[in-house]
């Protein structure tokens, strides 16, 4: 923007080496001046254009950051969906494995009662049944957790 300036000054000088009196020296050596300036900037080192370009680049960076965050969020949600789907499938499989292990253990118990199997075989069967139940519970609760996390991203609330 153009600027306009106005200035004025009054100066005097005195010396002790002069034979005139001090008041006479003030009257004789009194000098006044005034000035008027107008400044029109023709060249500002492209500072305005540089500031505009920086602002545009900053806006683009924020938009890219937003897209990156949206992509990360989508990836997280997709990952929870895949985990929920896989854990549900694992739960169904583990449930069938538990039922099979229970049948096997029941059969081993019956054979143990008839002295056809020893204690070691019975304990191994019990161990297999417990492992199958543990796997079923783990898959069940992981599926519930991932479904609840998906609902959190959908609604913004968690079930208690």
């Amino acid at each position: 923007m153009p600027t306009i300036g106005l200035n004025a000054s009054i100066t005097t000088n005195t010396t002790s080496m002069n034979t005139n009196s001090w008041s006479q020296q003030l009257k004789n050596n009194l000098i006044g001046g005034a000035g008027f300036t107008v400044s029109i900037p023709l060249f500002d080192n492209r500072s305005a254009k540089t500031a505009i370009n920086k602002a545009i680049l900053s806006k683009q960076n924020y938009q890219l950051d937003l897209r990156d965050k949206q992509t990360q969020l989508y990836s997280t949600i997709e990952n929870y969906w895949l985990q929920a789907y896989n854990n549900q499938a694992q739960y169904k499989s583990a449930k069938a494995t538990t039922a099979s292990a229970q049948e096997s253990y029941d059969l081993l118990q019956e054979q143990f009662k008839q002295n056809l199997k020893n204690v070691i075989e019975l304990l191994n069967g019990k161990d297999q049944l417990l492992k199958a139940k543990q796997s079923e519970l783990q898959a069940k609760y992981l599926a519930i957790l991932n479904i609840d996390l998906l609902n959190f991203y959908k609604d913004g609330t968690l079930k208690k």
Side-chain angles (χ1 to χ4, degrees):
M1 297 295 295
T3 57
I4 299 172
L6 180 65
N7 59 14
S9 65
I10 298 175
T11 60
T12 185
N13 61 14
T14 60
T15 179
S16 61
M17 305 271 244
N18 198 332
T19 58
N20 292 335
S21 69
W22 185 74
S23 61
Q24 186 63 38
Q25 287 182 44
L26 280 177
K27 288 180 185 177
N28 292 341
N29 295 333
L30 192 61
I31 302 168
F36 179 76
T37 60
V38 175
S39 174
I40 300 173
L42 297 176
F43 184 68
D44 66 350
N45 290 334
R46 298 176 46 98
S47 63
K49 186 167 182 153
T50 301
I52 291 170
N53 287 338
K54 282 182 180 180
I56 290 170
L57 287 175
S58 181
K59 179 184 174 189
Q60 289 173 347
N61 280 336
Y62 288 127
Q63 288 173 339
L64 288 174
D65 285 345
L66 177 63
R67 279 194 202 146
D68 184 47
K69 297 294 182 195
Q70 288 171 336
T71 303
Q72 287 176 359
L73 179 62
Y74 179 78
S75 176
T76 300
I77 292 170
E78 184 179 33
N79 188 28
Y80 285 137
W81 184 87
L82 288 172
Q83 287 177 3
Y85 182 79
N86 288 337
N87 287 329
Q88 287 173 350
Q90 285 178 355
Y91 174 68
K92 289 176 186 176
S93 172
K95 200 171 183 181
T97 302
T98 301
S100 174
Q102 183 67 51
E103 289 289 324
S104 177
Y105 179 70
D106 291 344
L107 183 61
L108 278 172
Q109 272 186 323
E110 199 57 43
Q111 289 175 347
F112 178 74
K113 286 179 185 175
Q114 295 176 5
N115 289 327
L116 296 174
K117 296 290 180 178
N118 62 24
V119 175
I120 303 295
E121 292 172 324
L122 182 65
L123 290 175
N124 283 340
K126 179 72 171 177
D127 186 46
Q128 293 299 320
L129 176 62
L130 290 175
K131 285 180 182 178
K133 285 183 178 182
Q134 178 191 8
S135 177
E136 179 183 350
L137 278 175
Q138 185 175 6
K140 177 181 179 179
Y141 288 111
L142 284 174
I144 290 170
L145 172 69
N146 287 310
I147 289 170
D148 283 347
L149 286 171
L150 283 172
N151 287 333
F152 170 74
Y153 281 107
K154 180 181 174 187
D155 304 338
T157 59
L158 279 176
K159 259 197 296 187
K160 292 183 180 182

